[in-house]
């Protein structure tokens, strides 16, 4: 049970922040915290992939966007013109459609958000699987470049396709209702509820991941990361584990994308941009690389600050800067930082050159 | 009965024939050694049998099943376990966790089962721990179970690696220089341990430089030189084999240790 102690603290923290916000009349903070929650979900998935399976992905915003955009398209695309079609009637009979009025009072019929979400998650899993098979054979820089390429493709596709709203993105995405009015939506009156929906989701993901890491599968992932040859020698199908982790982290990112899209009532191409992917990687690195808790805290803090606009126009530059600093001083993650080593890395550089000089003479 | 049969096995790296048309059989329950000077292709042979390398030609039969194209993890799952010339333990894990990895092939819990804590997970965890503990007890280091594996002495790390290979419950154990880096007492203990492993019914194929150890424990010896098999016989006959003597005297001149 001790491993769930952190979860208990997280739950208390979630409640405490809400109470403070409500009693100090500053519930508007909860909006950014909700958004930070969804980003944190995506970052946690990436932390699993990077920190534990040891595989980098510089295209994770792509999966976030695949989730968000699939959901947005499917819940806004008006199916009414197809009402005589067999497929439409089938969906209607299965009660998978949702009827509503748009801003002008016209009736539009689209897929129910739950169905859209299922499709979005399946689609992201499928794409991750198909991409992962060739790409995960690569290592190090090559894997980083390949996943970066994937991220760029998603971004350009989103930006250049009318169905995805090109540079404008997709707006008027309906709320994702669970019960009555309660659900994921940007409705001001549901701010507290939405804060809880997002953060309970984060909490559930944490529980699932903690369980995963404390298991045969988690040990296998650490083994692959630590000594790949030895893990093959004990019968671990390293390729299969990497692929499954990649798919899992992609699906979690897509789920986060679905959630944020319904909360914001839309999604734009910036969610798919490479800078978003870099940001996720920077947060995982800053959070300690192989630390779910470190990643969660770091992600909440940095995303919240960024969403509140504290970093101003240096927003992207800041995350780029974090990444550079971490790669320089703590490539294994910030928790591994040793100031002595960091200092050594800065100082002896000049000494080394001097040594080389004397040897040369 | 032959549990493993290697036929006309060849492997080249660029122009170098690391293994050239090598054939031999491994009798079930035996300790067989592969010896030869440095660069004779012993480790390459091990890597071929354990699936870390693909042969260019030839066949490898495990219980009459062709395994030459199997990947390393599949061969391990079949029950052919190995250790490495340079010890490869999992960093950041305790001794028991390292050995638990050897039990991987007996588990069935996957990603979903692990995340959802299905009842099977708990049962399997217990079985894995028990099996690993038994392997540690067999090699005699159960008191080190909760130490960080990489903090142990070299000799102890060798035993951890051996316990991990045994935790797989292999039918064949491939030992790549198990006595390398061990002192005389540790080497003698390793020899006894290998014999106890054989007594459990596990077939052992061993690559080793320590001739006195090899002559003492192995029942048959294959001699490789420049990738080719030049002799295969019982230890006494190998010791008298003129070509083997010539090769080893030549090497001793060169190495002088």
């Amino acid at each position: 049970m001790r491993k769930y102690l952190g979860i208990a603290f997280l739950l208390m923290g979630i409640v405490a922040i809400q109470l403070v916000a409500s009693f100090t009349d500053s519930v508007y903070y909860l909006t950014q915290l909700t958004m930070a929650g969804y980003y944190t979900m995506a970052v946690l998935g990436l932390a699993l992939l990077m920190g534990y399976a040891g595989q980098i992905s510089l295209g994770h915003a792509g999966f976030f966007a695949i989730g968000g955009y699939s959901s947005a398209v499917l819940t806004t695309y008006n199916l009414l013109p197809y009402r005589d079609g067999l497929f439409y009637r089938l969906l209607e009979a299965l009660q998978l459609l949702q009827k509503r009025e748009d801003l002008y009072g016209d009736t539009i019929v689209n897929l129910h958000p739950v169905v859209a979400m299922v499709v979005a998650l399946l689609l992201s899993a499928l794409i991750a699987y198909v991409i992962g098979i060739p790409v995960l054979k690569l290592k190090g820089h090559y894997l980083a470049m390949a996943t970066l390429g994937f991220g760029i493709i998603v971004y350009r596709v989103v930006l250049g396709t009318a169905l995805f709203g090109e540079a404008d993105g997709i707006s008027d995405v309906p709320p994702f209702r669970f019960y009555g009015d309660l659900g994921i939506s940007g409705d001001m009156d549901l701010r507290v509820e939405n804060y809880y929906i997002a953060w309970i989701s984060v909490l559930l993901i944490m529980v699932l991941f903690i369980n995963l890491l404390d298991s045969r599968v988690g040990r296998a992932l650490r083994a692959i990361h630590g000594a790949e040859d030895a893990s093959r020698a004990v019968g671990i199908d390293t390729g299969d584990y990497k692929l499954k982790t990649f798919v899992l982290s992609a699906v979690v990112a897509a789920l986060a994308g679905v959630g944020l899209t319904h909360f914001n009532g839309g999604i734009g191409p910036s969610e798919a941009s490479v800078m978003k992917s870099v940001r996720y990687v920077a947060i995982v690195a800053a959070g300690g690389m192989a630390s779910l808790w470190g990643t969660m805290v770091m992600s909440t803090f940095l995303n919240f600050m960024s969403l509140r606009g504290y970093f101003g126009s240096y927003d992207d530059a800041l995350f780029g800067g974090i990444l550079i600093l971490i790669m320089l001083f703590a490539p294994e993650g910030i928790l591994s930082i040793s100031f002595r080593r960091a200092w050594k890395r800065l100082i002896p550089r000049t000494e080394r050159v001097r040594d080389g000089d004397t040897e040369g003479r | 009965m032959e549990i493993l049969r290697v036929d006309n096995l060849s492997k080249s790296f660029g122009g170098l024939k690391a293994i050239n048309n090598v054939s031999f059989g491994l009798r079930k329950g035996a300790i067989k050694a592969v010896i030869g000077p440095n660069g004779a292709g012993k480790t390459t042979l091990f890597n071929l049998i354990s699936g870390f390398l693909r042969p260019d030609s030839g066949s490898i039969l495990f219980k009459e099943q062709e395994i030459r194209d199997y990947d390393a993890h599949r061969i391990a799952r079949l029950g052919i376990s190995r250790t490495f010339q340079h010890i490869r333990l999992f960093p950041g894990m305790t001794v028991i966790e390292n050995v638990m990895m050897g039990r991987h092939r007996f588990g069935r819990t996957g990603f979903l089962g692990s995340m959802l804590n299905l009842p099977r997970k708990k049962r399997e965890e217990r079985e894995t721990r028990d099996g690993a503990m038994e392997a540690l007890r067999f090699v005699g280091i159960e008191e080190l179970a909760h130490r960080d594996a990489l903090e142990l002495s070299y000799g102890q790390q060798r035993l951890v690696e051996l316990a991990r290979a045994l935790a797989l419950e292999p039918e064949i154990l491939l030992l790549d220089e198990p006595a390398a880096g061990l002192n005389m007492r540790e080497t003698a203990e390793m020899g006894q341990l290998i014999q106890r492993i054989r007594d459990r019914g596990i077939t052992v194929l061993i690559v080793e430089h320590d001739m006195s150890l090899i002559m003492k424990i192995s029942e048959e010896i294959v001699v490789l030189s420049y990738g080719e098999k030049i002799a295969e016989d019982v230890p006494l006959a190998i010791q008298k084999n003129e070509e083997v003597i010539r090769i080893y005297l030549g090497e001793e001149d060169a190495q002088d240790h």
Side-chain angles (χ1 to χ4, degrees), chain A residues 20-71:
Chain A
V20 170
S22 293
F23 283 115
T24 56
D25 254 345
S26 46
V27 278
Y28 45 87
Y29 283 124
L30 294 185
T31 299
Q32 284 81 36
L33 277 172
T34 305
M35 294 168 76
Y38 288 117
Y39 286 127
T40 298
M41 278 168 72
V43 174
L44 284 175
L46 185 62
L48 188 74
L49 182 69
M50 282 174 63
Y52 295 92
Q55 309 297 303
I56 194 171
S57 167
L58 268 170
H60 244 52
F63 291 114
F64 186 95
I66 287 170
Y69 270 98
S70 307
S71 211

Side-chain angles (χ1 to χ4, degrees), chain A residues 69 155 157-170 267-270:
Chain A
Y69 270 98
Y155 179 57
V157 165
V158 160
L159 208 56
T161 310
L163 180 69
F164 299 131
E166 294 172 354
D168 299 330
I170 300 175
I267 184 169
S270 71

Side-chain angles (χ1 to χ4, degrees), chain B:
Chain B
M1 186 199 123
E2 276 185 351
I3 191 166
L4 189 80
R5 175 89 224 154
V6 174
D7 270 317
N8 303 319
L9 204 63
S10 294
K11 176 73 184 178
S12 300
F13 298 110
L16 178 78
K17 284 181 175 163
I19 288 290
N20 192 9
N21 223 17
V22 168
S23 306
F24 67 91
L26 186 58
R27 200 164 40 78
K28 188 172 165 58
I31 299 178
K32 189 159 193 159
V34 179
I35 62 170
N38 283 328
K42 303 181 299 284
T43 295
T44 304
L45 180 68
F46 261 35
N47 285 337
L48 289 170
I49 296 173
S50 57
F52 280 83
L53 289 172
R54 287 272 152 86
D56 300 331
S57 62
S59 92
I60 305 168
L61 296 175
F62 172 59
K63 295 198 283 187
E64 276 141 36
Q65 183 186 2
E66 179 62 70
I67 58 166
R68 56 162 281 181
D69 291 323
Y70 285 15
D71 195 52
H73 68 88
R74 248 183 109 186
I75 289 175
R77 293 178 86 91
L78 284 177
I80 300 180
S81 180
R82 70 168 292 176
T83 62
F84 293 89
Q85 192 177 342
H86 303 286
I87 304 171
R88 284 179 209 181
L89 296 179
F90 299 116
M93 286 195 195
T94 60
V95 168
I96 185 94
E97 281 178 312
N98 259 281
V99 180
M100 282 167 81
M101 293 311 307
R103 306 290 296 170
H104 187 81
R105 73 171 177 134
F106 300 109
R108 292 286 166 273
T109 314
F111 275 72
L112 266 183
S114 298
M115 285 197 282
L116 299 175
N117 268 354
L118 296 184
R120 184 172 65 187
K121 174 178 165 183
K122 207 172 174 186
R123 201 190 60 227
E124 276 190 7
E125 280 294 292
R126 204 176 46 237
E127 288 168 2
T128 305
R129 198 164 281 275
D130 292 349
M133 210 60 204
E134 202 201 310
L136 281 179
R137 217 169 289 133
F138 183 79
V139 304
I141 52 168
E142 75 251 54
E143 74 281 1
L144 300 177
H146 300 290
R147 294 271 298 277
D148 187 332
L150 295 188
E151 281 176 7
L152 302 182
S153 74
Y154 195 78
Q156 289 169 330
Q157 290 194 15
R158 278 244 174 259
L159 292 176
V160 175
E161 202 192 26
L162 188 59
R164 186 177 69 196
L166 285 173
L168 230 96
E169 294 180 16
E171 292 191 58
I172 299 178
L173 181 61
L174 307 174
L175 298 173
D176 197 352
E177 299 200 24
L182 302 188
N183 62 35
M184 270 170 65
R185 189 176 53 84
E186 286 171 331
T187 302
E189 283 169 4
M190 181 60 82
Q192 286 167 7
L193 189 53
I194 294 169
Q195 284 173 324
R196 278 171 54 216
I197 290 168
R198 187 263 327 271
D199 294 344
R200 279 188 134 193
I202 297 169
T203 311
V204 179
L205 187 66
I206 176 172
V207 164
E208 184 51 64
H209 271 303
D210 190 315
M211 279 306 142
S212 58
L213 175 68
I214 289 294
M215 293 302 163
K216 195 178 288 169
I217 66 170
S218 55
E219 289 145 39
E220 286 168 77
I221 297 176
V222 173
V223 186
L224 294 182
S225 176
Y226 294 108
E228 292 185 34
K229 184 176 96 174
I230 58 164
E232 179 177 8
D233 217 325
V234 294
L236 274 175
I238 290 292
Q239 278 174 318
K240 290 182 188 138
N241 184 308
E242 280 181 15
E243 201 175 354
V244 176
I245 291 168
R246 193 173 51 76
I247 286 171
Y248 269 90
L249 286 179
E251 201 206 14
E252 239 145 66
D253 282 346
Q255 277 200 341
D256 197 33
H257 61 173

Side-chain angles (χ1 to χ4, degrees), chain A residues 317-332:
Chain A
L318 179 93
F319 285 97
I322 289 176
L323 200 56
I324 291 175
L325 287 176
I326 287 174
M327 289 306 133
L328 268 179
F329 297 116
E332 299 293 311

